[in-house]
Amino acid sequence: MVELARQAMAKSYSPYSDFKVGAVVVSRNGSVFSACNVENASYPEGTCAEAGAISAMVMAGEQRIQAIYVIGAGDGLVSPCGGCRQRIREFADSTTTVHICGPEGIRKSLLLDQLLPYSFGPQHLNVTQAD
Ligand SMILES: O=c1ccn([C@H]2C[C@H](O)[C@@H](CO)O2)c(=O)[nH]1
Ligand SMILES: [Zn+2]
């Protein structure tokens, strides 16, 4: 998965920040969806890698994230931004795991609930998540 994320990162379109990010979503049935960040001259229209991978998962008919692998350039921990934590939350359960990666492998693994505790989600709007 880390290698897939690295390959996605290599495709990043990020001429403005020059910060490449790749993400791989593993859905409940084990399917794998990867994406990179895609920036835009109108800066706020750029999209995060996680958003692309989640869209691909939904397009394939899957609605539960088992795990997501994120890799960004540099030595630090690149964990999903606040907006992406909420995007992951939409399709998460109590076991959804975020793996923060570097080219050498997984640097840190956290539950989504640790990255976004006391989160707002579908249940607050009386929407039941798909199984
Ligand atoms: O988890 C993250 C953090 C940042 N970015 C992107 C957004 C932007 O294109 C660039 C710099 O913020 O990195 C992601 O795709 N995912
Ligand atoms: Zn984001």
Side-chain angles (χ1 to χ4, degrees):
M1 290 310 157
V2 177
E3 176 55 20
L4 264 185
R6 210 190 53 71
Q7 288 173 12
M9 177 175 72
K11 294 190 173 160
S12 167
Y13 176 74
S14 45
Y16 305 105
S17 71
D18 199 28
F19 192 79
K20 296 177 187 295
V21 182
V24 173
V25 162
V26 181
S27 69
R28 169 172 280 174
N29 77 359
S31 296
V32 169
F33 306 95
S34 66
C36 60
N37 56 328
V38 180
E39 297 188 344
N40 192 282
S42 178
Y43 291 2
E45 304 308 330
T47 51
C48 289
E50 297 91 325
I54 291 169
S55 291
M57 178 194 76
V58 172
M59 193 59 203
E62 289 287 299
Q63 297 189 355
R64 192 59 64 94
I65 299 173
Q66 181 185 132
I68 180 164
Y69 295 74
V70 180
I71 185 170
D75 294 332
L77 294 178
V78 175
S79 69
C81 76
C84 286
R85 294 178 193 198
Q86 187 67 38
R87 289 187 180 98
I88 297 165
R89 167 66 183 88
E90 188 71 18
F91 303 105
D93 60 27
S94 60
T95 69
T96 297
T97 305
V98 178
H99 299 288
I100 300 168
C101 307
E104 75 288 357
I106 293 172
R107 290 178 176 166
K108 199 169 185 63
S109 298
L110 295 160
L111 293 173
L112 188 269
D113 197 55
Q114 293 176 287
L115 287 173
L116 195 67
Y118 303 104
S119 64
F120 184 76
Q123 289 81 350
H124 291 99
L125 300 176
N126 297 318
V127 170
T128 307
Q129 286 176 296
D131 281 324

